[in-house]
Amino acid sequence: MKDKVFFTNFRATIKENLPQKIKRFLNEAELFSTLQEGDLSALKIHFGEKGNLAFLNPLWVKAIIEEVKSKKIFPFLTDSNTLYAGSRKNSLLHLKTAIENGFAYSVMANTPIIIADGLRGENEVEVDIGSDIFKKFHIAGEIANADSLLVVSHFKGHELAGFGGAIKNLAMGCASRRGKLAQHSTVSPKIKRKDCKACLKCLKKCPADAIEIVDNKAKINKERCIGCAECIVVCPEGAIRIQWDKNIPDFLKGLVEYAKASLFNKKDKVFFVNFISNVSPLCDCLSFNDTPIVRDIGILASKNPVAIDKASIDLVNKESVLKDSVLFKDGEDIKDKFKTLHPKVDWQIHFDYAKEINFFSSEYELVHIE
């Protein structure tokens, strides 16, 4: 049996503006049946990196929040800290970036922001779902602790995953820093010696005593390293680097496993919304965004994260390429936009592997709501 993916476009009228339409759309899609009155519900979004303007429109998110609150459910906005040393590498910077990008408390209908993995990415819950790739999963603590989960995603291209939507928002976005590192790398971080000032901050922070000073430079003991990635963030010189050694197929399968693990205690307590707008070629984690590759298409909603991403891809691939975009050099009629953007990434692996591990099916019935 195919799962339903509901769709509406961005058209609005004097009788019903877009925020009002979003509220009606969510109700007609009957998504609130997954939540219960009194839930402390995590609304998982991406707040956007500083300098990037392609992320979700805050006022769309506000409309969702207002409708959630009308059901006597208590939402909080959330994301987890980044693995890389950007403008969201710890909770203080993350909150500052979120507020500057429009997600302030007063704008979001007096809804708090809680960074789910704590001050420096240490707040996590360890999960075992009996997977093939990972022995343990490390999920951001306050996402794991929430009663229910609403995953709201900006659908776009992604340099490693091919595309970014609900699956990536679950997998990478709901993982603690340790979980993010495990998805990207199988080895410990490395130290660029010429940049190291031997300030001892990484040595003092390392919970495994895996760092020592040798010849006035920090050195990581690979046998002791537990892959928590805390050293990457505390280094003021940016001398500690991730070793990006995961091949693409394994990375994609790992994403799917982590997406499944992030829902370990949320069965029937989650729903997904994808906004297919400002479809940028790369991730919102970058400090810039390029011209969209296609026009703004619409909003999708489902209880199935795999089906909603497949429907999003299909809708994007039906569109003509915008003339000012990076794809236009290949012509207007490109059948597979994301494969053309990222030729080394076989995005179909997401869907094949999700079926293989009995996560969710990518087969769907698209239901149009005017």
Side-chain angles (χ1 to χ4, degrees):
M1 181 177 177
K2 296 179 180 180
D3 286 333
K4 291 181 178 180
V5 175
F6 297 89
F7 171 81
T8 194
N9 58 37
F10 283 113
R11 297 201 62 185
T13 67
I14 195 169
K15 294 182 178 180
E16 183 184 56
N17 61 35
L18 190 53
Q20 292 168 334
K21 185 176 184 178
I22 290 171
K23 295 175 183 181
R24 176 175 61 82
F25 171 65
L26 294 179
N27 280 292
E28 291 190 21
E30 298 182 347
L31 295 180
F32 293 109
S33 62
T34 63
L35 312 181
Q36 293 181 353
E37 184 176 317
D39 273 1
L40 300 181
S41 190
L43 199 162
K44 170 66 181 76
I45 64 170
H46 190 306
F47 294 113
E49 191 71 11
K50 190 173 182 178
N52 190 306
L53 302 179
F55 56 85
L56 286 171
N57 186 321
L59 296 183
W60 297 344
V61 179
K62 179 185 179 184
I64 296 174
I65 287 171
E66 289 176 338
E67 197 58 25
V68 169
K69 286 188 171 184
S70 75
K71 313 297 183 187
K72 297 182 179 180
I73 296 159
F74 301 97
F76 62 92
L77 286 164
T78 194
D79 197 1
S80 57
N81 291 311
T82 58
L83 178 60
Y84 58 87
S87 71
R88 296 175 298 123
K89 68 178 182 179
N90 60 53
S91 287
L92 296 183
L93 290 176
H94 206 150
L95 287 168
K96 182 175 183 290
T97 299
I99 291 166
E100 289 177 350
N101 282 351
F103 296 95
Y105 180 79
S106 58
V107 177
M108 295 291 102
N110 297 335
T111 301
I113 298 173
I114 300 174
I115 303 304
D117 58 343
L119 187 62
R120 291 191 176 93
E122 301 165 329
N123 178 11
E124 61 185 23
V125 172
E126 189 173 271
V127 175
D128 182 356
I129 61 169
S131 66
D132 293 333
I133 296 174
F134 299 105
K135 293 181 179 179
K136 301 288 183 181
F137 297 83
H138 296 92
I139 307 302
E142 302 314 333
I143 288 175
N145 292 332
D147 298 318
S148 53
L149 180 62
L150 290 67
V151 181
V152 183
S153 306
H154 166 226
F155 195 81
K156 68 279 180 186
H158 191 276
E159 50 275 25
L160 291 179
F163 67 90
I167 295 172
K168 185 179 178 296
N169 205 356
L170 278 176
M172 201 63 65
C174 292
S176 68
R177 180 167 287 117
R178 188 197 307 251
K180 289 179 173 67
L181 181 61
Q183 290 179 69
H184 283 102
S185 178
T186 62
V187 295
S188 60
K190 63 180 179 180
I191 296 174
K192 193 171 183 181
R193 287 181 57 82
K194 72 174 185 177
D195 293 338
C196 176
K197 306 297 184 185
C199 67
L200 305 184
K201 288 186 176 181
C202 60
L203 187 147
K204 293 176 181 178
K205 188 64 179 174
C206 180
D209 293 326
I211 302 176
E212 56 185 339
I213 301 297
V214 177
D215 297 331
N216 205 34
K217 300 290 182 181
K219 183 179 180 180
I220 297 175
N221 184 319
K222 296 178 181 179
E223 300 301 318
R224 288 185 179 179
C225 178
I226 60 174
C228 68
E230 291 183 26
C231 58
I232 296 171
V233 178
V234 299
C235 178
E237 307 300 329
I240 305 178
R241 312 289 177 85
I242 304 162
Q243 297 196 65
W244 309 91
D245 72 327
K246 278 285 184 80
N247 63 57
I248 294 297
D250 286 347
F251 173 75
L252 298 181
K253 290 178 181 180
L255 278 181
V256 175
E257 286 196 1
Y258 249 91
K260 183 177 182 180
S262 69
L263 300 180
F264 76 100
N265 62 349
K266 298 290 191 297
K267 185 179 180 181
D268 302 324
K269 295 283 288 179
V270 61
F271 71 75
F272 305 88
V273 180
N274 280 6
F275 284 86
I276 312 179
S277 68
N278 209 347
V279 185
S280 48
L282 302 172
C283 184
D284 294 345
C285 290
L286 295 172
S287 59
F288 72 97
N289 61 282
D290 200 355
T291 301
I293 59 172
V294 296
R295 70 177 180 92
D296 291 352
I297 297 172
I299 312 165
L300 286 84
S302 182
K303 298 176 184 178
N304 179 334
V306 177
I308 197 174
D309 277 357
K310 183 59 167 65
S312 298
I313 285 178
D314 290 344
L315 287 168
V316 170
N317 280 337
K318 289 178 182 177
E319 294 292 322
S320 296
V321 171
L322 292 179
K323 291 184 178 180
D324 289 336
S325 77
V326 68
L327 281 183
F328 188 69
K329 64 180 183 298
D330 296 311
E332 293 182 71
D333 186 22
I334 298 175
K335 301 300 182 185
D336 189 337
K337 311 291 191 300
F338 300 104
K339 185 68 173 178
T340 305
L341 279 172
H342 309 294
K344 294 182 180 180
V345 182
D346 180 5
W347 53 258
Q348 181 63 36
I349 291 173
H350 288 93
F351 306 115
D352 293 341
Y353 194 63
K355 182 178 181 180
E356 182 180 330
I357 65 173
N358 297 312
F359 181 34
F360 280 95
S361 170
S362 62
E363 295 185 4
Y364 64 92
E365 174 191 355
L366 193 65
V367 180
H368 290 258
I369 295 176
E370 294 300 325

